[in-house]
Amino acid sequence: MIAERGTRVLNNVQAINEALDLALAKDERVVLFGEDVGTMGGVFRASDGLAQKYGEKRVFDTPLAESGIVGFGIGLAMAGLRPVAEIQFAGFLYPALDQILSHLGRMRHRTRGRFTIPMVIRAPYGGGVKTPEQHADSPEAILAHVPGVKMVIPSSPERAKGLLLAAIEDPDPVFFLEAIKLYRGVKAEVPEGYYTLPLGQARVVREGNAASLFCYGGMVEVCLKAAEVAAREGVELEVVDLETLIPLDTPTILASVQKTGRAVVVYEAMRTGGFGAEIAARIAEEALDYLQAPILRVAGWDAPYPPFSAVENFYRPDARRVLEAVRRVLEH
């Protein structure tokens, strides 16, 4: 049992590094590769020390060619390995969309189950640290529209470690997006040793009865801050960390809405066509009779993410914007 294990305080990067280390040690089929993943240990040092420990046949660098990285991984998976590919930033995934849309999620169906693609594609996403253009993109809505894949976006070190190990064990392709702002901005007690957490399950990280905040990744921290402020005014908000977007844990979402009667969906991608619209649609389809106010979204603006600039503070959702939406649903 995880509860019986010892723990250590780690940040997200350290927890991810530990998960990769454990996966490589446990299963010789696991290989790790990507731009600067080997000798350098990754731009965020998520694979630091692993090339030296496991050798260049297990952990290695690739050319700057995202389509080649994903296509190479698909081939390795079909050959019986369990590849973990790192895309340096999620905004660099776009050249690989042909491999992703045409092959990654279709192979099980295409081969009538004879082949699966047990591949994990890791990528840092999102803003909060004033990066250059395309380094802060949040492309989860694009990736969620790929049939046959799963998508995980953890919000804390202990969840990141267990979910990453579960993703590596999974028989199908998994996108594993990691919020850049949380890499070193959050620390927590992380169980020692090898453990997995179930994919496809959301979790209530704060109980409440006034309204439900639905979020994932870097926005969980924002929603928890908003809930703390609201609590000082006697308003108890429920915060639901979705964790896995595909498959989405609809029952947990609906149970929270049935409890509070109000829903605010928070994500940092641009508002139009964002994954929050899918969450809102499921609530409207299956819990409309429980709603006491319209479903509201708090998201990025319909514009490119601002690079290198304090303007980022106005683009990325914060606790103030979340609380404004909460007041609107409470006053309805």
Side-chain angles (χ1 to χ4, degrees), residues 130-143:
K130 298 179 175 59
T131 53
E133 185 181 4
Q134 283 189 268
H135 290 63
D137 287 16
S138 299
E140 65 268 20
I142 298 173
L143 303 178

Side-chain angles (χ1 to χ4, degrees), residues 156-169:
S156 65
E158 74 279 10
R159 307 301 294 182
K161 179 181 174 181
L163 289 167
L164 180 54
L165 288 169
I168 294 171
E169 287 186 1

Side-chain angles (χ1 to χ4, degrees), residues 182-220:
L182 300 184
Y183 267 154
R184 290 179 171 82
V186 174
K187 290 185 176 183
E189 296 281 349
V190 178
E192 295 178 342
Y194 192 105
Y195 67 92
T196 61
L197 297 171
L199 306 185
Q201 290 187 14
R203 62 189 183 114
V204 177
V205 293
R206 184 182 177 113
E207 297 275 356
N209 53 28
S212 300
L213 305 181
F214 298 103
C215 50
Y216 50 88
M219 290 295 101
V220 175

